[in-house]
Amino acid sequence: MLYNCSRLHFWRSNLEKDIGFLIKLIHDTVEKTANKELKKAGLTIAQFRVIVFFKEKATDKISQKELEDYFGVSHPTMVGIIKRMEKKGFVISKFDSEDGRIKNIYITPKGKSAYEEINFLKNKNEKKLISDIKNDEVKKLRELLTKMYENIK
């Protein structure tokens, strides 16, 4: 069935009142913008998030299982991310010398420098996302989004 323009506009405007849909629109736009900028460095947003995780943990070694758990992705998904990052020289993977069942991921100097070079993009996009929003509103927004996340996980 074809929709005329006004009916489609009505449908979209009502859908955009749905909080989940608004969050999805924001997520998709942020991800698209970030992937476009990260592509220049040979990274995707998922790969950059792995690099950021290394930086936040202040370590050069993380188990693949820890990455899977933190990002809430399946084993095959993380294997694909790591393989592509390894191919590009951002990380290396090795089985643990004490427990051969554990696969450890190590960030390389190239991975560390990628963080330093690209982190400004993350900060720029964050600033753009919250421009024209007062600091107290941003604080409240973070609180509300955190509550929403806790409610549905």
Side-chain angles (χ1 to χ4, degrees):
M1 180 166 131
L2 295 174
Y3 293 99
N4 65 32
C5 224
S6 62
R7 189 167 181 184
L8 186 60
H9 175 72
F10 173 79
W11 176 79
R12 183 174 170 96
S13 66
N14 281 336
L15 194 57
E16 287 177 352
K17 292 176 187 172
D18 179 336
I19 291 173
F21 185 72
L22 283 170
I23 291 170
K24 181 189 180 330
L25 285 177
I26 293 166
H27 171 269
D28 291 351
T29 304
V30 167
E31 187 171 61
K32 182 179 176 184
T33 302
N35 274 329
K36 183 177 164 186
E37 292 171 343
L38 289 167
K39 187 176 184 180
K40 297 171 190 168
L43 288 165
T44 65
I45 196 164
Q47 293 166 352
F48 184 63
R49 285 179 179 146
V50 170
I51 291 172
V52 170
F53 187 67
F54 273 101
K55 183 73 172 178
E56 288 174 355
K57 295 286 280 187
T59 185
D60 291 343
K61 175 182 93 170
I62 298 173
S63 76
Q64 184 173 310
K65 178 72 172 136
E66 185 177 355
L67 290 170
E68 292 165 11
D69 291 345
Y70 180 79
F71 290 106
V73 298
S74 67
H75 177 76
T77 298
M78 188 53 67
V79 166
I81 292 168
I82 297 302
K83 278 186 179 180
R84 287 185 292 280
M85 291 180 74
E86 212 168 357
K87 189 175 181 181
K88 296 173 190 174
F90 294 110
V91 297
I92 57 172
S93 61
K94 296 180 185 175
F95 284 101
D96 192 271
S97 58
E98 295 175 17
D99 186 342
R101 299 171 297 171
I102 298 172
K103 192 168 196 178
N104 291 316
I105 313 302
Y106 299 85
I107 191 163
T108 64
K110 182 178 179 179
K112 289 178 184 178
S113 68
Y115 174 84
E116 300 303 329
E117 292 172 23
I118 298 170
N119 192 47
F120 81 95
L121 294 174
K122 179 180 158 253
N123 293 334
K124 181 180 92 172
N125 287 335
E126 179 84 8
K127 285 178 184 175
K128 185 176 181 180
L129 189 64
I130 60 172
S131 66
D132 299 327
I133 302 175
K134 297 175 187 170
N135 287 341
D136 59 327
E137 292 173 321
V138 171
K139 182 180 176 184
K140 186 66 176 174
L141 177 62
R142 281 192 179 102
E143 291 171 8
L144 292 171
L145 290 171
T146 300
K147 280 183 183 180
M148 290 169 67
Y149 176 70
E150 292 297 324
N151 288 342
I152 64 167
K153 75 174 189 175

Coordinates of all heavy atoms in Angstrom, one line a residue, residues 52-134:
V52 N 39.7 2.3 22.8 CA 39.4 3.1 24.0 C 39.3 2.3 25.2 O 39.7 2.7 26.3 CB 38.0 3.9 23.7 CG1 37.5 4.5 25.0 CG2 38.2 4.9 22.6
F53 N 38.8 1.1 25.1 CA 38.7 0.2 26.3 C 40.1 -0.1 26.8 O 40.3 -0.1 28.1 CB 38.0 -1.1 25.9 CG 37.7 -2.0 27.1 CD1 36.8 -1.7 28.0 CD2 38.3 -3.3 27.2 CE1 36.5 -2.5 29.1 CE2 38.1 -4.1 28.2 CZ 37.2 -3.7 29.2
F54 N 41.1 -0.4 26.0 CA 42.5 -0.5 26.4 C 42.9 0.7 27.2 O 43.5 0.6 28.3 CB 43.4 -0.8 25.2 CG 43.5 -2.2 24.8 CD1 42.8 -2.7 23.7 CD2 44.4 -3.1 25.5 CE1 43.0 -4.0 23.3 CE2 44.5 -4.4 25.1 CZ 43.8 -4.9 24.0
K55 N 42.7 1.9 26.7 CA 43.1 3.1 27.3 C 42.4 3.3 28.7 O 43.1 3.6 29.6 CB 42.8 4.3 26.4 CG 43.2 5.6 26.8 CD 44.7 5.8 26.7 CE 45.1 7.2 27.1 NZ 46.5 7.4 27.0
E56 N 41.1 3.0 28.7 CA 40.4 3.2 30.0 C 40.8 2.2 31.0 O 40.9 2.5 32.2 CB 38.9 3.1 29.7 CG 38.3 4.3 29.0 CD 36.9 4.2 28.7 OE1 36.3 3.1 28.9 OE2 36.3 5.1 28.1
K57 N 41.2 1.0 30.6 CA 41.7 0.0 31.6 C 43.1 0.2 31.9 O 43.7 -0.5 32.8 CB 41.5 -1.4 31.0 CG 40.1 -1.9 30.7 CD 39.4 -2.2 32.0 CE 39.8 -3.6 32.4 NZ 39.0 -4.1 33.6
A58 N 43.8 1.1 31.2 CA 45.2 1.4 31.4 C 46.1 0.1 31.4 O 46.9 -0.1 32.3 CB 45.4 2.2 32.7
T59 N 45.9 -0.7 30.4 CA 46.7 -1.9 30.3 C 46.9 -2.2 28.8 O 46.3 -1.6 27.9 CB 45.9 -3.1 30.9 OG1 46.7 -4.3 30.8 CG2 44.6 -3.4 30.1
D60 N 47.9 -3.0 28.6 CA 48.3 -3.4 27.2 C 47.7 -4.8 26.8 O 47.9 -5.2 25.7 CB 49.8 -3.4 27.0 CG 50.4 -2.0 27.0 OD1 49.6 -1.0 26.9 OD2 51.6 -1.9 27.2
K61 N 47.1 -5.5 27.8 CA 46.7 -6.8 27.6 C 45.3 -7.0 28.2 O 45.0 -6.7 29.3 CB 47.6 -7.8 28.3 CG 47.1 -9.3 28.2 CD 48.1 -10.2 28.9 CE 47.6 -10.4 30.3 NZ 48.3 -11.5 31.1
I62 N 44.3 -7.5 27.3 CA 43.0 -7.8 27.8 C 42.6 -9.2 27.1 O 42.9 -9.4 26.0 CB 42.0 -6.7 27.3 CG1 42.4 -5.4 27.9 CG2 40.6 -7.1 27.7 CD1 41.6 -4.2 27.4
S63 N 41.9 -10.0 27.9 CA 41.4 -11.3 27.3 C 40.3 -11.0 26.3 O 39.5 -10.1 26.5 CB 41.0 -12.2 28.4 OG 39.7 -11.9 28.9
Q64 N 40.2 -11.8 25.3 CA 39.2 -11.7 24.3 C 37.8 -11.9 25.0 O 36.8 -11.2 24.7 CB 39.3 -12.7 23.2 CG 38.3 -12.6 22.1 CD 38.6 -13.5 21.0 OE1 39.7 -13.6 20.5 NE2 37.6 -14.2 20.6
K65 N 37.7 -12.7 26.0 CA 36.5 -13.0 26.7 C 36.0 -11.7 27.5 O 34.8 -11.4 27.5 CB 36.6 -14.2 27.7 CG 35.4 -14.4 28.5 CD 34.3 -15.1 27.7 CE 33.2 -15.5 28.7 NZ 31.9 -15.2 28.1
E66 N 37.0 -11.0 28.0 CA 36.6 -9.8 28.7 C 36.1 -8.7 27.8 O 35.1 -8.0 28.1 CB 37.9 -9.2 29.4 CG 37.6 -8.0 30.3 CD 38.8 -7.4 31.0 OE1 39.9 -8.1 31.0 OE2 38.7 -6.4 31.7
L67 N 36.6 -8.7 26.6 CA 36.1 -7.8 25.5 C 34.7 -8.2 25.1 O 33.8 -7.3 25.0 CB 37.0 -7.7 24.3 CG 38.4 -7.1 24.5 CD1 39.3 -7.3 23.3 CD2 38.2 -5.6 24.7
E68 N 34.5 -9.5 24.9 CA 33.1 -10.0 24.6 C 32.1 -9.6 25.6 O 31.0 -9.1 25.3 CB 33.2 -11.5 24.4 CG 34.0 -11.9 23.2 CD 34.3 -13.4 23.2 OE1 33.7 -14.2 24.1 OE2 35.1 -13.9 22.4
D69 N 32.5 -9.8 26.9 CA 31.6 -9.5 28.0 C 31.3 -8.0 28.1 O 30.1 -7.6 28.3 CB 32.1 -10.0 29.3 CG 32.1 -11.6 29.4 OD1 31.5 -12.2 28.5 OD2 32.8 -12.1 30.3
Y70 N 32.3 -7.2 28.0 CA 32.2 -5.8 28.2 C 31.3 -5.2 27.1 O 30.4 -4.4 27.3 CB 33.5 -5.1 28.2 CG 33.4 -3.6 28.4 CD1 33.2 -3.0 29.6 CD2 33.5 -2.7 27.3 CE1 33.0 -1.6 29.8 CE2 33.3 -1.3 27.4 CZ 33.1 -0.8 28.7 OH 33.0 0.5 28.8
F71 N 31.5 -5.6 25.8 CA 30.8 -5.0 24.7 C 29.5 -5.8 24.4 O 28.7 -5.3 23.6 CB 31.6 -5.0 23.5 CG 32.7 -4.0 23.5 CD1 34.0 -4.4 23.7 CD2 32.4 -2.6 23.5 CE1 35.1 -3.4 23.8 CE2 33.5 -1.7 23.6 CZ 34.8 -2.1 23.8
G72 N 29.3 -6.9 25.1 CA 28.0 -7.6 25.0 C 27.8 -8.2 23.6 O 26.7 -8.2 23.1
V73 N 28.9 -8.7 23.0 CA 28.9 -9.3 21.7 C 29.3 -10.7 21.8 O 29.9 -11.2 22.7 CB 29.8 -8.5 20.7 CG1 29.4 -7.1 20.5 CG2 31.3 -8.6 21.1
S74 N 28.9 -11.5 20.7 CA 29.2 -12.9 20.7 C 30.7 -13.1 20.4 O 31.4 -12.3 19.9 CB 28.3 -13.6 19.6 OG 28.7 -13.1 18.3
H75 N 31.1 -14.3 20.7 CA 32.5 -14.7 20.4 C 32.8 -14.5 18.9 O 33.8 -13.9 18.6 CB 32.7 -16.2 20.8 CG 34.0 -16.7 20.5 ND1 35.1 -16.4 21.2 CD2 34.4 -17.6 19.5 CE1 36.2 -17.0 20.7 NE2 35.8 -17.7 19.7
P76 N 32.0 -15.0 18.0 CA 32.3 -14.8 16.5 C 32.4 -13.4 16.1 O 33.3 -13.0 15.3 CB 31.2 -15.5 15.8 CG 30.6 -16.5 16.8 CD 30.8 -15.9 18.1
T77 N 31.6 -12.5 16.7 CA 31.6 -11.1 16.4 C 32.9 -10.5 16.9 O 33.6 -9.8 16.1 CB 30.4 -10.3 17.1 OG1 29.2 -10.8 16.6 CG2 30.5 -8.8 16.9
M78 N 33.4 -10.8 18.1 CA 34.6 -10.2 18.6 C 35.8 -10.8 17.8 O 36.8 -10.1 17.6 CB 34.8 -10.5 20.1 CG 36.0 -9.8 20.7 SD 36.1 -8.0 20.4 CE 34.7 -7.4 21.3
V79 N 35.7 -12.1 17.5 CA 36.8 -12.7 16.7 C 37.0 -11.9 15.4 O 38.1 -11.5 15.0 CB 36.5 -14.2 16.3 CG1 37.5 -14.7 15.2 CG2 36.7 -15.0 17.6
G80 N 35.9 -11.5 14.7 CA 36.0 -10.7 13.5 C 36.6 -9.4 13.7 O 37.4 -8.9 12.9
I81 N 36.2 -8.7 14.8 CA 36.7 -7.4 15.1 C 38.2 -7.5 15.3 O 39.0 -6.7 14.8 CB 36.0 -6.8 16.3 CG1 34.5 -6.4 16.0 CG2 36.7 -5.5 16.8 CD1 33.6 -6.1 17.2
I82 N 38.6 -8.4 16.1 CA 40.0 -8.6 16.5 C 40.8 -8.9 15.2 O 41.9 -8.4 15.0 CB 40.2 -9.6 17.6 CG1 39.5 -9.1 18.9 CG2 41.7 -9.9 17.9 CD1 40.0 -7.8 19.4
K83 N 40.3 -9.9 14.4 CA 41.1 -10.3 13.2 C 41.3 -9.1 12.3 O 42.4 -8.9 11.8 CB 40.3 -11.4 12.5 CG 40.5 -12.7 13.0 CD 39.9 -13.8 12.1 CE 40.1 -15.2 12.7 NZ 39.5 -16.2 11.8
R84 N 40.3 -8.3 12.1 CA 40.5 -7.1 11.2 C 41.5 -6.1 11.9 O 42.3 -5.5 11.1 CB 39.1 -6.5 10.9 CG 38.3 -7.3 9.9 CD 37.0 -6.6 9.5 NE 36.0 -6.5 10.6 CZ 35.2 -7.5 11.0 NH1 35.3 -8.7 10.4 NH2 34.4 -7.3 12.0
M85 N 41.4 -5.9 13.2 CA 42.3 -5.0 13.8 C 43.8 -5.5 13.8 O 44.7 -4.8 13.6 CB 41.9 -4.8 15.3 CG 40.6 -4.0 15.4 SD 40.2 -3.8 17.2 CE 41.4 -2.5 17.7
E86 N 43.9 -6.8 13.9 CA 45.2 -7.5 13.9 C 45.8 -7.3 12.5 O 47.0 -7.0 12.3 CB 45.1 -9.0 14.2 CG 46.3 -9.5 14.9 CD 46.0 -10.9 15.5 OE1 44.9 -11.4 15.5 OE2 47.0 -11.4 16.1
K87 N 45.0 -7.5 11.5 CA 45.4 -7.4 10.1 C 46.0 -6.0 9.8 O 46.9 -5.8 9.0 CB 44.3 -7.7 9.1 CG 44.6 -7.9 7.7 CD 43.4 -8.3 6.9 CE 43.8 -8.4 5.4 NZ 42.6 -8.9 4.6
K88 N 45.3 -5.0 10.4 CA 45.7 -3.6 10.2 C 46.9 -3.2 11.2 O 47.4 -2.0 11.1 CB 44.5 -2.7 10.4 CG 43.4 -2.9 9.4 CD 42.2 -2.1 9.8 CE 41.0 -2.4 8.9 NZ 39.8 -1.7 9.4
G89 N 47.3 -4.1 12.1 CA 48.4 -3.8 13.0 C 48.0 -3.0 14.3 O 48.9 -2.5 15.0
F90 N 46.8 -2.9 14.6 CA 46.4 -2.2 15.8 C 46.5 -3.0 17.1 O 46.7 -2.5 18.2 CB 44.9 -1.7 15.7 CG 44.8 -0.6 14.7 CD1 44.0 -0.9 13.5 CD2 45.3 0.7 14.8 CE1 43.9 0.1 12.5 CE2 45.2 1.6 13.8 CZ 44.4 1.3 12.7
V91 N 46.3 -4.4 17.0 CA 46.4 -5.3 18.1 C 47.1 -6.6 17.6 O 47.2 -6.8 16.4 CB 45.1 -5.7 18.7 CG1 44.4 -4.4 19.3 CG2 44.2 -6.4 17.7
I92 N 47.6 -7.4 18.5 CA 48.0 -8.7 18.3 C 47.3 -9.6 19.3 O 46.9 -9.2 20.4 CB 49.5 -8.9 18.3 CG1 50.1 -8.5 19.7 CG2 50.2 -8.2 17.2 CD1 51.6 -8.9 19.8
S93 N 47.1 -10.9 18.9 CA 46.5 -11.8 19.8 C 47.4 -13.0 20.0 O 48.0 -13.5 19.1 CB 45.1 -12.3 19.3 OG 45.2 -12.9 18.0
K94 N 47.4 -13.5 21.2 CA 48.2 -14.7 21.6 C 47.4 -15.5 22.6 O 46.8 -14.9 23.5 CB 49.5 -14.3 22.2 CG 50.4 -13.5 21.3 CD 51.7 -13.2 22.0 CE 52.6 -12.3 21.1 NZ 53.8 -11.9 21.9
F95 N 47.6 -16.8 22.6 CA 47.0 -17.6 23.6 C 47.9 -17.5 24.9 O 49.1 -17.3 24.8 CB 46.9 -19.1 23.2 CG 45.8 -19.3 22.2 CD1 46.0 -19.4 20.9 CD2 44.5 -19.5 22.7 CE1 45.0 -19.7 20.0 CE2 43.4 -19.7 21.8 CZ 43.7 -19.8 20.5
D96 N 47.2 -17.5 26.0 CA 47.9 -17.3 27.3 C 48.9 -18.4 27.6 O 48.6 -19.6 27.3 CB 46.8 -17.3 28.4 CG 47.4 -16.8 29.8 OD1 47.9 -17.7 30.5 OD2 47.3 -15.6 30.0
S97 N 50.1 -18.1 28.0 CA 51.1 -19.1 28.3 C 50.8 -20.0 29.4 O 51.3 -21.2 29.5 CB 52.5 -18.4 28.5 OG 52.4 -17.5 29.6
E98 N 50.0 -19.6 30.4 CA 49.6 -20.4 31.5 C 48.3 -21.2 31.3 O 48.2 -22.2 31.9 CB 49.5 -19.5 32.8 CG 50.9 -18.9 33.2 CD 50.8 -18.0 34.3 OE1 49.8 -18.0 35.1 OE2 51.7 -17.2 34.5
D99 N 47.4 -20.6 30.6 CA 46.1 -21.2 30.3 C 45.8 -21.1 28.8 O 45.3 -20.0 28.4 CB 45.0 -20.6 31.2 CG 43.7 -21.3 31.1 OD1 43.5 -22.1 30.1 OD2 42.8 -21.1 31.9
G100 N 46.1 -22.1 28.1 CA 45.9 -22.1 26.6 C 44.5 -21.9 26.1 O 44.3 -21.6 25.0
R101 N 43.5 -21.9 27.0 CA 42.1 -21.7 26.6 C 41.9 -20.2 26.5 O 40.9 -19.8 25.9 CB 41.2 -22.3 27.7 CG 41.3 -23.8 27.8 CD 40.5 -24.3 29.0 NE 41.0 -23.7 30.2 CZ 40.4 -23.8 31.4 NH1 39.3 -24.4 31.5 NH2 41.0 -23.2 32.4
I102 N 42.7 -19.4 27.1 CA 42.5 -17.9 27.2 C 43.3 -17.3 26.0 O 44.5 -17.5 25.9 CB 42.9 -17.3 28.5 CG1 42.1 -17.9 29.7 CG2 42.8 -15.8 28.5 CD1 42.6 -17.5 31.0
K103 N 42.6 -16.4 25.3 CA 43.2 -15.7 24.2 C 43.3 -14.2 24.7 O 42.3 -13.6 25.0 CB 42.4 -15.8 22.9 CG 43.2 -15.3 21.7 CD 42.5 -15.6 20.4 CE 43.4 -15.5 19.2 NZ 42.7 -15.9 18.0
N104 N 44.6 -13.8 24.7 CA 44.8 -12.4 25.1 C 45.0 -11.5 23.9 O 45.6 -11.9 22.9 CB 46.0 -12.3 26.1 CG 45.8 -13.0 27.4 OD1 44.7 -12.8 28.0 ND2 46.7 -13.8 27.9
I105 N 44.5 -10.3 24.0 CA 44.7 -9.3 23.0 C 45.6 -8.2 23.5 O 45.4 -7.7 24.7 CB 43.3 -8.7 22.6 CG1 42.3 -9.8 22.4 CG2 43.5 -7.8 21.4 CD1 42.6 -10.8 21.3
Y106 N 46.6 -7.8 22.7 CA 47.6 -6.8 23.1 C 47.5 -5.7 22.2 O 47.5 -5.9 20.9 CB 49.0 -7.4 23.1 CG 49.2 -8.6 24.0 CD1 48.9 -9.9 23.6 CD2 49.8 -8.4 25.3 CE1 49.1 -11.0 24.5 CE2 50.0 -9.5 26.1 CZ 49.6 -10.7 25.7 OH 49.8 -11.8 26.6
I107 N 47.5 -4.5 22.7 CA 47.4 -3.3 21.9 C 48.9 -3.0 21.4 O 49.8 -3.1 22.2 CB 46.8 -2.1 22.6 CG1 46.5 -0.9 21.6 CG2 47.6 -1.6 23.8 CD1 45.5 0.1 22.1
T108 N 49.0 -2.6 20.2 CA 50.3 -2.3 19.6 C 50.6 -0.8 19.7 O 49.7 0.0 20.0 CB 50.4 -2.7 18.1 OG1 49.5 -1.9 17.4 CG2 50.1 -4.2 17.9
P109 N 51.9 -0.4 19.5 CA 52.1 1.0 19.4 C 51.3 1.8 18.4 O 50.8 2.9 18.7 CB 53.6 1.1 19.0 CG 54.2 -0.2 19.6 CD 53.1 -1.2 19.4
K110 N 51.0 1.1 17.3 CA 50.1 1.7 16.3 C 48.7 1.9 16.9 O 48.0 2.9 16.6 CB 50.0 0.8 15.0 CG 49.1 1.4 13.9 CD 49.1 0.5 12.7 CE 48.2 1.1 11.6 NZ 48.2 0.3 10.4
G111 N 48.2 1.0 17.6 CA 46.9 1.1 18.3 C 46.9 2.2 19.3 O 45.9 3.0 19.4
K112 N 48.0 2.4 20.0 CA 48.0 3.4 21.0 C 48.1 4.8 20.3 O 47.4 5.7 20.8 CB 49.3 3.3 21.9 CG 49.2 2.1 22.9 CD 50.5 2.0 23.6 CE 50.5 0.8 24.5 NZ 51.8 0.6 25.3
S113 N 48.8 4.9 19.3 CA 48.9 6.2 18.6 C 47.6 6.5 17.9 O 47.2 7.7 17.8 CB 50.1 6.3 17.6 OG 49.9 5.4 16.5
A114 N 46.9 5.5 17.4 CA 45.6 5.7 16.8 C 44.6 6.4 17.8 O 43.8 7.3 17.5 CB 45.0 4.4 16.3
Y115 N 44.7 5.9 19.1 CA 43.9 6.5 20.1 C 44.2 8.0 20.3 O 43.3 8.8 20.3 CB 44.0 5.8 21.5 CG 43.3 6.5 22.6 CD1 42.0 6.2 22.8 CD2 43.9 7.5 23.4 CE1 41.2 6.9 23.8 CE2 43.2 8.1 24.4 CZ 41.9 7.8 24.6 OH 41.2 8.5 25.5
E116 N 45.4 8.3 20.4 CA 45.8 9.7 20.6 C 45.4 10.6 19.4 O 44.9 11.7 19.6 CB 47.3 9.8 20.8 CG 47.9 9.0 22.0 CD 47.2 9.4 23.3 OE1 46.8 10.6 23.5 OE2 47.1 8.6 24.2
E117 N 45.5 10.0 18.2 CA 45.2 10.8 17.0 C 43.7 11.0 16.8 O 43.2 12.0 16.3 CB 45.7 10.1 15.7 CG 47.3 10.1 15.6 CD 47.8 9.2 14.5 OE1 47.0 9.0 13.6 OE2 48.9 8.8 14.6
I118 N 42.9 10.0 17.2 CA 41.5 10.0 16.9 C 40.6 10.4 18.1 O 39.4 10.8 17.9 CB 41.1 8.6 16.4 CG1 41.8 8.4 15.1 CG2 39.6 8.6 16.1 CD1 41.7 7.0 14.6
N119 N 41.1 10.4 19.3 CA 40.3 10.7 20.4 C 39.6 12.1 20.3 O 38.5 12.3 20.8 CB 41.1 10.6 21.7 CG 40.1 10.7 22.9 OD1 39.1 10.0 23.0 ND2 40.5 11.5 23.9
F120 N 40.3 13.0 19.7 CA 39.8 14.4 19.5 C 38.5 14.3 18.7 O 37.6 15.1 18.9 CB 40.8 15.3 18.8 CG 40.8 15.2 17.3 CD1 40.1 16.0 16.5 CD2 41.7 14.3 16.7 CE1 40.1 15.9 15.1 CE2 41.7 14.2 15.4 CZ 41.0 15.0 14.6
L121 N 38.3 13.4 17.8 CA 37.1 13.2 17.0 C 35.9 12.9 18.0 O 34.8 13.4 17.8 CB 37.2 12.2 15.9 CG 38.2 12.4 14.8 CD1 38.3 11.2 13.9 CD2 37.7 13.7 14.0
K122 N 36.2 11.9 18.9 CA 35.2 11.5 19.9 C 34.7 12.8 20.7 O 33.5 13.0 20.8 CB 35.8 10.5 20.8 CG 34.8 10.0 21.8 CD 35.5 8.9 22.7 CE 34.9 8.8 24.0 NZ 35.6 9.3 25.1
N123 N 35.7 13.5 21.1 CA 35.4 14.7 21.9 C 34.6 15.8 21.1 O 33.7 16.4 21.6 CB 36.6 15.3 22.5 CG 37.3 14.4 23.5 OD1 36.6 13.6 24.2 ND2 38.6 14.5 23.7
K124 N 35.0 15.9 19.8 CA 34.3 16.9 19.0 C 32.9 16.5 18.7 O 32.0 17.3 18.8 CB 35.1 17.0 17.6 CG 34.5 17.9 16.6 CD 35.2 18.0 15.3 CE 34.6 17.0 14.4 NZ 35.1 17.0 13.0
N125 N 32.7 15.2 18.5 CA 31.3 14.7 18.3 C 30.5 14.8 19.5 O 29.3 15.1 19.5 CB 31.3 13.3 17.7 CG 31.8 13.2 16.3 OD1 31.6 14.2 15.5 ND2 32.3 12.1 15.9
E126 N 31.1 14.5 20.7 CA 30.3 14.7 21.9 C 29.9 16.1 22.2 O 28.8 16.4 22.6 CB 31.2 14.2 23.1 CG 30.6 14.3 24.5 CD 29.7 13.1 24.8 OE1 29.7 12.1 24.1 OE2 29.0 13.2 25.8
K127 N 30.8 17.0 21.9 CA 30.5 18.5 22.1 C 29.4 18.9 21.1 O 28.5 19.6 21.5 CB 31.7 19.3 21.8 CG 32.7 19.3 23.0 CD 33.9 20.2 22.7 CE 35.0 20.0 23.8 NZ 36.2 20.7 23.5
K128 N 29.4 18.4 19.9 CA 28.4 18.7 18.9 C 27.0 18.1 19.4 O 26.0 18.8 19.3 CB 28.7 18.2 17.6 CG 27.8 18.5 16.5 CD 28.3 18.0 15.1 CE 27.3 18.4 14.0 NZ 27.8 17.9 12.7
L129 N 27.1 16.9 19.9 CA 25.9 16.3 20.4 C 25.1 17.0 21.5 O 23.9 17.1 21.5 CB 26.2 14.9 20.9 CG 25.1 13.9 21.2 CD1 24.3 13.6 19.9 CD2 25.7 12.6 21.8
I130 N 25.9 17.7 22.4 CA 25.3 18.3 23.5 C 25.4 19.9 23.4 O 25.1 20.6 24.4 CB 26.0 17.9 24.8 CG1 27.5 18.2 24.9 CG2 25.7 16.4 25.1 CD1 28.1 17.9 26.2
S131 N 25.7 20.4 22.2 CA 25.8 21.8 22.1 C 24.3 22.3 22.3 O 23.3 21.7 22.0 CB 26.3 22.2 20.7 OG 25.4 21.8 19.7
D132 N 24.2 23.5 22.8 CA 22.9 24.2 23.1 C 22.2 23.5 24.2 O 21.0 23.7 24.3 CB 22.1 24.2 21.8 CG 22.7 25.1 20.7 OD1 23.4 26.0 21.0 OD2 22.5 24.7 19.5
I133 N 22.8 22.6 25.0 CA 22.2 22.0 26.1 C 23.0 22.5 27.3 O 24.3 22.3 27.3 CB 22.2 20.5 26.0 CG1 21.4 20.0 24.8 CG2 21.6 19.9 27.3 CD1 21.5 18.5 24.5
K134 N 22.4 23.0 28.4 CA 23.0 23.5 29.6 C 23.7 22.3 30.3 O 23.2 21.2 30.2 CB 22.0 24.2 30.5 CG 21.4 25.4 29.8 CD 20.4 26.0 30.7 CE 19.6 27.1 30.0 NZ 18.4 27.5 30.7

